[in-house]
Amino acid sequence: MAVPEKIKQEVLELRRQIEHHNRLYHSLDAPEIPDADYDALLARLEALEGAHGLATSDSPTQRVGSEPLAKFRQVTHELAMLSLDKVSNEQALQDFDTRIKKRLADEAPLEYSCEPKVDGVAVSLLYEDGLLTRAATRGDGITGEDVTHNVKTIKDVPLRIEAIQKGTRIEVRGEIFLGKKGFASLNARAEREGTKVFVNPRNTAAGAIRQLDSRNTAKIPLQMYCYSVGVTTGFDLPVRLSEIFDTLASWGLPVNPERSTELGIASCQDYCMKLLARRNALEYEIDGAVLKVNDLEIQKQLGQNAKSPRWAMAYKFPAEEKSTKVLDVEFQVGRTGTITPVARLDPVFVGGVTVSNTTLHNMDEISRLGLRIGDSVIVRRAGDVIPKIVRVINAEKNKKPKAIKLPASCPACGSVIEKDGEVLYRCSAGITCPAQRKESIKHFASRAAMDIEGLGDKLVEQLVDEALIESVADIYRLSIEQLASLERMGAKSAENLISAIERSKQTGLPRFLFALGIREVGEATAMSLVNHYGDLLPIISADLESLEQVADVGPIVAQHIRNFFINKDNLKLIADLQKSGIRWPQVETTSTSLALQGQIYVLTGTLERLPRSEAKAKLQALGAKVAGSVSRNTDVVVAGPGAGSKLARAEELGIKIINEGEFLDLIATLSE
Ligand code: IVH
């Protein structure tokens, strides 16, 4: 029986609507209708197609996957799928540009199409008469595998391109990938269900595209960006790559919005640097940028080597995730006695630096990761973030796993370890523990505290180990002779250090207070205390009730401050330090509210007219908090040259951004 026209129309309309919502949801990340409504549209379409035998290969119902294949069909690429030459520094990009200009015997600046190098899997899509008829992996570049059944499940990929005429063929190539959000939610589910976690988005995408059963692929929210065109018949395409991208986009094919046309290699280098800075803010992983000569005629003139075109170059960014092995776990004792597990790693180059150890924070983190000594792990270092272990891989391959146990007693002094709160453990000995002593001296001498130039961590260890100092007060009793007698210390360095120690005596009360290392009293709290009380004595004698009136000080911090100052040893230490000549200028108290009270500032990039520590101190003096990272709570970002991911994040969140000049004007006005 013929299918009624009304049904046919409804089917067409449903397909149109579903594809529209697919695009909104997957490519634009801006769904218009709830998932349940979408599911209802799809269910209705499935029902109609089933009942009237209307299913077609380009219907969105095909995206849910189909019966498994026995094996992949081989596909021979009509044009080989080449790979890219790679460089990893700016000079090499420059050399690339020089090389091709020489080959072209033309000095004129070249126009390049610059694009992110998305970390996924290359595929080729063949559209015949506008219909997606075949999708293939790159394989060895000559022969790939037919993965049409899987690619059809990707909502970004149009199954039919309406704008394309009958009698045409076009092969579009691009990268299939899994976004960061999709990856995180897959792994969250795997963790919840106790199934195997996925190593990284790239591997997950590669695995998903090579499934014989496309119903498995359909469960992974893959995406795609097109980056080139292969064979074509019956088309008159533009002669510049950037315009081809615009054409593909107008047909509904996904192309990367981060692409940009740049004139001359310097602008391309700039593009690469900016992209690198924004890397973490992107919704998908990239491993570099790709530069392609924009003019197809020039591309043709330049031709190709055995494996790669001469007109393109990949600029590789440092890998942010690498796998390595946990060789051991040691327990470090901090300034206030906290016992922190630290993983010793087989050194690995990741995110631009060599990482050989990384903090595991606490015992809970170890159980969360399910980590044992000898396990292989993924280490991540993104931007300037501290490297961390993100997950264990191939746990079953660790043939001699060793459990990580909290030591029975403090590894530095043997005292009892006590539990402190939910997850922390602490050495009970206090300042008599040599590890705590060393850490508190390092803290005292550090830049944000007494700022004793030349008294770094190694030297503090040496001085304590050789019994030249026991407490911070001993620093001021050191002599040039004592220092000069140390290994690797010359007379000149000893003299310089003594001068630096001498200079540190002229300090500010906030620095001194911070240097004392009172638990949970950071730079900002020290500043608030000084602003509130004006001098040290009233802080020493303040009771809990009074302390809690100070901006930034809650009951717990108040108790820590109180505990510190009722301890006779601490009072003796302060007297000792003052006797050795430590002085600070009188401070006026501010009982009125401060101009920037409660505001959160972030400093990023290089400040050229004042040191960062000074900018921070000025902000804190006005009542602002200075945070290390940008979040929705940030009020203002001060960005100097070379600002990277923090600036990008601020732009993304629409946070006010000012430059150094504007910052200095603001401070000057508010401090008047
Ligand atoms: S162009 C002849 N553009 O990187 C040029 N490749 O080794 C062929 N890739 O196999 C590639 N993003 O999988 C190009 N914007 C982009 C890319 C890109 C990622 C991958 C692609 C290719 C590999 C190069």
Side-chain angles (χ1 to χ4, degrees):
M1 206 177 81
V3 181
E5 193 56 29
K6 219 173 120 215
I7 300 283
K8 281 193 197 157
Q9 284 309 317
E10 185 181 350
V11 164
L12 289 181
E13 177 57 20
L14 280 167
R15 285 181 192 159
R16 201 195 55 75
Q17 280 187 22
I18 291 169
E19 289 297 2
H20 169 72
H21 292 302
N22 278 345
R23 265 178 56 71
L24 287 178
Y25 188 88
H26 292 277
S27 311
L28 308 172
D29 209 9
E32 253 172 13
I33 56 167
D35 287 359
D37 293 7
Y38 174 89
D39 293 343
L41 290 177
L42 199 62
R44 170 82 184 146
L45 178 60
E46 251 169 342
L48 289 180
E49 285 180 354
H52 302 279
L54 289 175
T56 57
S57 67
D58 64 340
S59 169
T61 52
Q62 305 303 301
R63 295 192 188 278
V64 292
S66 47
E67 287 297 307
L69 303 180
K71 63 181 184 49
F72 294 108
R73 236 172 26 91
Q74 300 286 303
V75 172
T76 305
H77 299 296
E78 288 171 55
L79 275 177
M81 284 184 83
L82 302 177
S83 67
L84 292 168
D85 285 337
K86 300 177 190 68
V87 294
S88 52
N89 62 63
E90 291 189 60
Q91 180 57 46
L93 268 191
Q94 176 81 59
D95 296 346
F96 157 69
D97 182 66
T98 311
R99 206 161 54 234
I100 52 180
K101 278 194 202 141
K102 199 161 158 200
R103 201 173 176 100
L104 293 167
D106 190 348
E107 289 288 295
L110 279 164
E111 193 174 66
Y112 290 97
S113 166
C114 298
E115 307 152 27
K117 187 168 185 303
V118 180
D119 204 5
V121 225
V123 290
S124 139
L125 311 178
L126 182 66
Y127 286 92
E128 292 174 307
D129 303 330
L131 198 67
L132 175 66
T133 51
R134 196 194 65 201
T137 59
R138 175 173 180 274
D140 60 6
I142 308 292
T143 314
E145 283 168 338
D146 188 327
V147 288
T148 317
H149 59 303
N150 293 335
V151 170
K152 279 187 167 182
T153 69
I154 304 174
K155 311 262 192 330
D156 275 356
V157 176
L159 301 176
R160 172 189 290 281
I161 301 175
E162 297 293 341
I164 296 186
Q165 305 296 315
K166 275 219 168 305
T168 58
R169 275 177 102 231
I170 184 165
E171 182 204 359
V172 182
R173 295 171 175 183
E175 197 81 352
I176 284 180
F177 62 96
L178 176 61
K180 292 178 186 171
K181 261 194 234 148
F183 177 68
S185 68
L186 279 183
N187 262 353
R189 193 169 71 204
E191 249 170 58
R192 254 194 333 269
E193 293 172 359
T195 52
K196 211 171 157 188
V197 291
F198 298 92
V199 173
N200 60 40
R202 204 209 83 86
N203 286 9
T204 314
I209 213 65
R210 292 195 71 260
Q211 291 290 320
L212 287 167
D213 187 342
S214 53
R215 289 169 297 197
N216 293 334
T217 313
K219 291 181 197 149
I220 315 282
L222 296 173
Q223 288 174 261
M224 177 170 181
Y225 280 136
C226 300
Y227 55 61
S228 72
V229 168
V231 287
T232 63
T233 329
F235 282 97
D236 223 354
L237 286 173
V239 292
R240 294 162 84 225
L241 185 55
S242 51
E243 288 163 9
I244 292 184
F245 284 143
D246 295 341
T247 305
L248 298 182
S250 75
W251 290 349
L253 281 162
V255 286
N256 198 322
E258 302 288 336
R259 70 189 183 282
S260 172
T261 313
E262 304 289 342
L263 184 64
I265 198 70
S267 304
C268 296
Q269 286 166 334
D270 207 39
Y271 172 91
C272 292
M273 290 308 119
K274 286 196 176 127
L275 186 67
L276 177 57
R278 285 180 18 77
R279 182 182 197 181
N280 288 315
L282 295 178
E283 212 340 87
Y284 46 87
E285 296 207 333
I286 60 172
D287 55 354
V290 185
L291 273 54
K292 299 171 185 165
V293 170
N294 201 28
D295 186 317
L296 299 201
E297 199 45 51
I298 304 182
Q299 285 190 5
K300 213 152 87 202
Q301 266 183 54
L302 287 167
Q304 64 187 61
N305 293 321
K307 279 200 185 134
S308 48
R310 288 198 192 91
W311 42 265
M313 184 57 78
Y315 179 85
K316 287 279 276 186
F317 296 160
E320 289 184 325
E321 286 193 358
K322 285 272 183 71
S323 63
T324 187
K325 207 178 207 172
V326 172
L327 304 177
D328 201 0
V329 170
E330 286 171 13
F331 287 83
Q332 281 182 354
V333 187
R335 176 166 59 83
T336 58
T338 28
I339 311 271
T340 308
V342 175
R344 299 272 168 246
L345 305 171
D346 198 357
V348 58
F349 188 74
V350 55
V353 298
T354 299
V355 177
S356 43
N357 50 57
T358 164
T359 177
L360 289 162
H361 303 288
N362 52 53
M363 297 307 287
D364 271 25
E365 176 70 358
I366 293 175
S367 355
R368 193 188 67 77
L369 290 166
L371 183 69
R372 303 154 312 165
I373 293 166
D375 275 345
S376 294
V377 292
I378 299 285
V379 174
R380 178 172 182 83
R381 181 183 182 271
D384 47 11
V385 177
I386 300 168
K388 62 181 258 179
I389 293 180
V390 283
R391 69 192 79 90
V392 172
I393 50 171
N394 302 329
E396 68 287 353
K397 290 202 183 139
N398 184 355
K399 294 294 175 226
K400 286 187 188 155
K402 203 173 132 205
I404 301 165
K405 284 208 195 88
L406 184 78
S409 57
C410 170
C413 71
S415 303
V416 173
I417 291 178
E418 291 167 344
K419 190 152 194 212
D420 180 4
E422 290 288 305
V423 291
L424 291 186
Y425 289 89
R426 216 177 273 284
C427 159
S428 59
I431 207 70
T432 54
C433 166
Q436 292 190 52
R437 193 180 302 148
K438 281 179 185 168
E439 291 310 308
S440 58
I441 298 173
K442 287 177 195 169
H443 170 76
F444 184 86
S446 68
R447 183 150 342 144
M450 298 303 281
D451 194 17
I452 307 179
E453 209 187 318
L455 186 50
D457 292 2
K458 286 256 153 59
L459 185 55
V460 170
E461 304 250 347
Q462 207 179 354
L463 289 168
V464 175
D465 289 342
E466 307 217 355
L468 287 178
I469 58 175
E470 232 181 50
S471 81
V472 293
D474 296 333
I475 296 174
Y476 295 94
R477 291 190 267 271
L478 284 168
S479 67
I480 294 191
E481 295 70 42
Q482 278 178 318
L483 288 173
S485 71
L486 290 172
E487 215 177 298
R488 290 190 304 273
M489 168 82 78
K492 188 74 201 139
S493 321
E495 231 170 82
N496 288 345
L497 182 56
I498 291 290
S499 313
I501 293 174
E502 209 41 44
R503 271 200 307 279
S504 77
K505 290 180 181 172
Q506 301 299 324
T507 187
L509 181 52
R511 275 182 180 276
F512 180 71
L513 204 53
F514 172 61
L516 290 175
I518 305 165
R519 268 177 71 186
E520 293 188 39
V521 175
E523 287 166 273
T525 309
M527 183 66 81
S528 305
L529 286 165
V530 175
N531 281 332
H532 191 91
Y533 292 105
D535 205 354
L536 185 58
L537 267 185
I539 302 178
I540 292 180
S541 52
D543 60 16
L544 287 177
E545 203 182 316
S546 162
L547 286 167
E548 283 181 40
Q549 301 305 311
V550 180
D552 233 23
V553 177
I556 296 178
V557 180
Q559 190 63 61
H560 289 322
I561 298 172
R562 205 57 220 122
N563 290 348
F564 187 88
F565 290 119
I566 53 175
N567 179 324
K568 288 214 177 55
D569 291 338
N570 290 337
L571 295 179
K572 193 176 155 300
L573 176 73
I574 292 170
D576 220 2
L577 287 168
Q578 286 190 290
K579 231 183 280 163
S580 64
I582 291 180
R583 296 277 176 275
W584 49 83
Q586 204 58 42
V587 185
E588 271 183 40
T589 59
T590 46
S591 42
T592 53
S593 81
L594 295 163
L596 300 180
Q597 192 73 52
Q599 296 211 23
I600 302 181
Y601 274 66
V602 172
L603 302 170
T604 180
T606 325
L607 298 183
E608 288 162 335
R609 284 149 66 186
L610 81 172
R612 188 181 276 244
S613 56
E614 214 169 290
K616 192 168 171 185
K618 284 187 191 295
L619 283 166
Q620 287 171 340
L622 288 164
K625 276 197 185 150
V626 181
S629 60
V630 176
S631 74
R632 285 183 203 287
N633 296 329
T634 310
D635 292 293
V636 181
V637 171
V638 182
S645 56
K646 291 179 192 167
L647 177 60
R649 178 92 180 120
E651 279 170 350
E652 200 180 75
L653 294 172
I655 286 162
K656 183 173 174 188
I657 299 163
I658 59 173
N659 62 27
E660 186 176 5
E662 291 165 320
F663 167 70
L664 290 173
D665 289 346
L666 175 80
I667 296 290
T669 323
L670 295 179
S671 311
E672 267 166 17

